[in-house]
Amino acid sequence: MESDASTSPRRRSTSCYSDSGDSSCSEPFSECGSDDLSFTPAAAAGIHRLLLSCAAEASDGTISSLVAELESPSSSLDSLRRAAMELRLLAKHNPDNRIRIAAAGAVRPLVALLSHADPLLQEHGVTALLNLSICDENKAIIVEAGTIRPLVHALKSAASPAARENAACALLRLSQLDGSAAASIGRAGAIPLLVSLLETGGARGKKDAATALYALCSGARENRLRAVEAGAVRPLLDLMADPETGMVDKAAYVLHSLVGIAEGRSAAVEEGGIPVLVEMVEVGSPRQKEIATLSLLQICEDSAAYRTMVAREGAIPPLVALSQSSSARPKLKTKAEALIEMLRQPRSASLRARPTAVVAAE
């Protein structure tokens, strides 16, 4: 049903949509959560020397002995825990160690830990792989070791929240290898699990899920449909509508990726996304105004009905203000002007059908 501005439930707010409390245009996606290894005071005191030693470059012999400990069928649970934790810390604190650990054959025994019954070993294994994946040279090695499906399983079933969150981060890192890796992660079933984490996770889990979804949907078009079918649009809009979550920017960029396909556009409209996007154009930060304008442009390009809905929601005045803003980028002004033209003539041909307009908008 087409909405009417006079009866619209759209919340009017004077607060600025900003994840950071300012209107800067820094990148919306920082790196995903890091390896936050924490201990009780007693345990921390016991491994202080270990932490210091792991900050230095490890010898090849040390790394080889730790890998052998993981591979040995006679290793005790305590020995496995210690070896996995040391490899995790060595990979966390020293970039050179990451390459040496992968070269020593540690990836496969670490992957094996993901299916171990011990929750702590699962967490050490997942997080060691995350730390290794920070190094671009290691990404192909990790993928070729068959790590994607075990990581997806850890994302679904690991006992600790930290292990699940770090599995999301590791999948994000691996998706950056190439489009094939991103598609493989989607086919392995990661998307619905990330959507679930986006809905029910803690603050860090939600951010990691949004970052991973953005990378996967940007890296492989087929993942966009998977995300829409998994119900990602509703939680994204909820996060966009609530500045207190600190997730407005991230959610808006993921949504923009999803409205790049017809199913995403339909879901965004059906879930009430037009009021949220129009309000963002009106009161958002500069970056949010831009991504909301681009999303509305995609939604409106091929649908006269959607254009009418956006116009009735009151989008034209804030778009006019944006097109006349001295601080807006020229490209954004052109996009805003193109959208205004469509909204004022909703029955006209789509932007895609007008090559001149497309060239001018680019």
Side-chain angles (χ1 to χ4, degrees):
M1 179 181 295
E2 294 179 356
S3 62
D4 188 296
S6 62
T7 59
S8 169
R10 176 157 58 96
R11 175 180 55 83
R12 296 291 179 179
S13 171
T14 57
S15 63
C16 175
Y17 282 98
S18 178
D19 290 359
S20 60
D22 60 30
S23 59
S24 64
C25 291
S26 58
E27 287 299 315
F29 291 100
S30 58
E31 294 294 347
C32 65
S34 61
D35 175 3
D36 296 322
L37 187 62
S38 59
F39 303 93
T40 63
I47 66 162
H48 180 65
R49 291 181 182 175
L50 175 61
L51 288 169
L52 292 177
S53 65
C54 286
E57 184 174 317
S59 69
D60 290 340
T62 298
I63 292 173
S64 295
S65 66
L66 292 171
V67 173
E69 192 73 50
L70 291 184
E71 293 178 321
S72 173
S74 61
S75 294
S76 66
L77 179 59
D78 285 343
S79 296
L80 288 173
R81 284 177 174 176
R82 183 174 181 84
M85 183 179 68
E86 289 195 38
L87 287 171
R88 168 183 178 174
L89 293 173
L90 287 169
K92 174 181 179 179
H93 290 290
N94 190 293
D96 291 335
N97 286 341
R98 294 170 191 147
I99 296 176
R100 297 158 69 124
I101 290 170
V107 172
R108 291 188 183 277
L110 287 171
V111 171
L113 298 182
L114 274 55
S115 59
H116 199 283
D118 180 63
L120 188 55
L121 267 181
Q122 290 178 10
E123 182 177 332
H124 286 328
V126 167
T127 313
L129 290 167
L130 165 60
N131 292 341
L132 292 178
S133 70
I134 294 172
C135 176
D136 288 340
E137 291 89 336
N138 287 341
K139 287 182 171 65
I141 296 172
I142 296 171
V143 170
E144 290 165 4
T147 309
I148 288 176
R149 288 194 177 276
L151 279 174
V152 171
H153 185 265
L155 176 62
K156 178 181 180 180
S157 304
S160 74
R164 295 193 295 273
E165 292 166 355
N166 288 343
C169 283
L171 289 168
L172 161 65
R173 299 282 189 182
L174 298 181
S175 74
Q176 296 167 346
L177 177 61
D178 52 37
S180 176
S184 295
I185 292 169
R187 287 193 291 270
I191 302 292
L193 300 175
L194 290 168
V195 172
S196 178
L197 184 60
L198 187 71
E199 292 178 302
T200 63
R204 182 197 151 186
K206 289 177 184 290
K207 291 178 181 179
D208 290 346
T211 306
L213 283 169
Y214 182 77
L216 290 170
C217 292
S218 300
R221 186 179 178 85
E222 65 193 68
N223 286 336
R224 300 180 192 180
L225 181 58
R226 292 188 178 103
V228 173
E229 292 176 341
V233 171
R234 179 69 267 162
L236 289 171
L237 289 171
D238 289 341
L239 292 168
M240 289 167 60
D242 184 5
E244 296 299 319
T245 64
M247 289 281 295
V248 175
D249 294 38
K250 293 177 176 62
Y253 272 78
V254 179
L255 183 74
H256 178 253
S257 178
L258 299 186
V259 297
I261 60 172
E263 295 84 354
R265 293 190 287 274
S266 298
V269 174
E270 291 168 5
E271 294 288 353
I274 288 176
V276 176
L277 289 166
V278 171
E279 184 176 10
M280 191 174 290
V281 174
E282 185 175 7
V283 301
S285 68
R287 183 171 65 200
Q288 292 156 5
K289 290 177 187 286
E290 178 167 353
I291 196 64
T293 299
L294 296 177
S295 293
L296 286 170
L297 189 60
Q298 286 187 304
I299 289 171
C300 291
E301 277 179 343
D302 292 326
S303 173
Y306 292 169
R307 294 175 213 164
T308 300
M309 295 171 69
V310 172
R312 288 183 176 178
E313 191 59 40
I316 292 178
L319 285 169
V320 170
L322 183 60
S323 70
Q324 297 174 349
S325 171
S326 60
S327 60
R329 296 190 301 129
K331 181 178 178 180
L332 176 57
K333 290 184 179 183
T334 302
K335 296 286 189 181
E337 290 166 358
L339 181 53
I340 292 167
E341 180 183 351
M342 278 195 288
L343 298 181
R344 286 175 170 165
Q345 301 178 32
R347 299 293 173 183
S348 63
S350 73
L351 184 64
R352 291 175 186 165
R354 294 177 289 160
T356 301
V358 173
V359 172
E362 297 300 329

